[in-house]
Amino acid sequence: MPGQRDSRQPASPPPGRTGRPRSTSRAEILAAARRVIDEDGWETLTVRRLAAEIGVGTTTLYHHVHNKDDLVVELVNQHLGQLDRPELPDDPRERIVIAATTMHDALAAWPWAAEALTADGFLGRLGDSALWIVETIVAGAVDSGCTREQAVDVFRSIWYYTVGEVLVRARSDRRRADVGAADLAFGLRRLDPSRQPQLAAIGALWPERSALDLYPQVLRIIVDGLLAEAGRTA
């Protein structure tokens, strides 16, 4: 009859929650976070966006991660944990070089990780997958005759050079892809030779030279200089 509900039709569900909310796992969270970072950069990663990416509420996400910093460090630990640890020689200097090169190559493959770790204080939050690199460099410095204070300085100097090299190269590569290698030298080519004679002269050489990977050679020079200086002042 008109206005009468058909008894064969199910009644409308009551308002409010009708089922259990979707759950997630830490592995799913890390995979989604890495996907966001790879696509749009780590600066765009927020807990709210990550929750939307997975399809859960932010409260559910906070059961697994405390904040964005916690998530980023966990991603770095996961990334470094996938590395094969190289054979380390007896020579402490060579151990330093190999550990630093391993660190460099890992960050070069994922430059955002270097940018995320540019503030002091991150070491205490890293896991064994990353700390073995730091331990190897510090121990190599001590075995080379450095005091523990000097060993800290050795690591920090290597770390600053490595992170700087990775970030500059990554951004330069993106810039080169956007504007082309020829345009990178334009600013130097138009300099006045009477005022900046050397810069004007090498302007055309700059793109080719800046594309070279000099990290291995410069690293050895830095390590040799740091250890030699430590030996003189110990």
Side-chain angles (χ1 to χ4, degrees), residues 30-203:
L30 293 178
R34 182 157 186 166
R35 188 165 58 249
V36 170
I37 291 172
D38 288 342
E39 291 176 357
D40 299 318
W42 79 280
E43 302 91 341
T44 67
L45 180 66
T46 64
V47 173
R48 185 179 298 275
R49 176 176 177 180
L50 186 56
E53 182 83 11
I54 300 173
V56 300
T58 54
T59 302
T60 300
L61 209 60
Y62 279 123
H63 287 307
H64 298 274
V65 294
H66 296 103
N67 49 44
K68 177 181 175 179
D69 288 343
D70 175 48
L71 184 61
V72 167
V73 172
E74 185 66 23
L75 283 168
V76 172
N77 283 328
Q78 182 190 65
H79 177 63
L80 296 178
Q82 297 169 350
L83 300 177
D84 293 329
R85 295 195 186 187
E87 292 284 339
L88 295 176
D90 294 332
D91 182 8
R93 171 186 175 276
E94 287 302 310
R95 293 202 304 269
I96 294 173
V97 169
I98 290 174
T101 301
T102 302
M103 175 173 65
H104 170 272
D105 293 349
L107 295 177
W110 219 18
W112 77 265
E115 190 164 353
L117 298 177
T118 51
D120 281 334
F122 68 89
L123 284 181
R125 304 178 65 188
L126 295 179
D128 289 344
S129 60
L131 287 178
W132 75 265
I133 296 176
V134 184
E135 172 68 19
T136 299
I137 294 174
V138 170
V142 171
D143 291 345
S144 297
C146 295
T147 65
R148 286 191 170 89
E149 291 81 3
Q150 291 170 333
V152 172
D153 296 341
V154 168
F155 171 76
R156 285 167 58 87
S157 299
I158 293 173
W159 170 249
Y160 290 167
Y161 166 58
T162 300
V163 169
E165 201 274 348
V166 167
L167 293 180
V168 169
R169 184 167 296 279
R171 292 172 181 175
S172 296
D173 288 344
R174 288 197 296 268
R175 176 71 173 164
R176 189 176 290 106
D178 290 340
V179 304
D183 288 344
L184 292 178
F186 176 76
L188 291 178
R189 285 202 304 268
R190 64 184 177 83
L191 293 177
D192 183 353
S194 65
R195 300 180 62 185
Q196 295 95 14
Q198 295 302 325
L199 288 177
I202 67 174

Side-chain angles (χ1 to χ4, degrees), residues 220-230 232:
R220 289 183 178 276
I221 294 171
I222 291 175
V223 171
D224 287 344
L226 290 170
L227 296 181
E229 179 64 21
R232 285 192 295 268

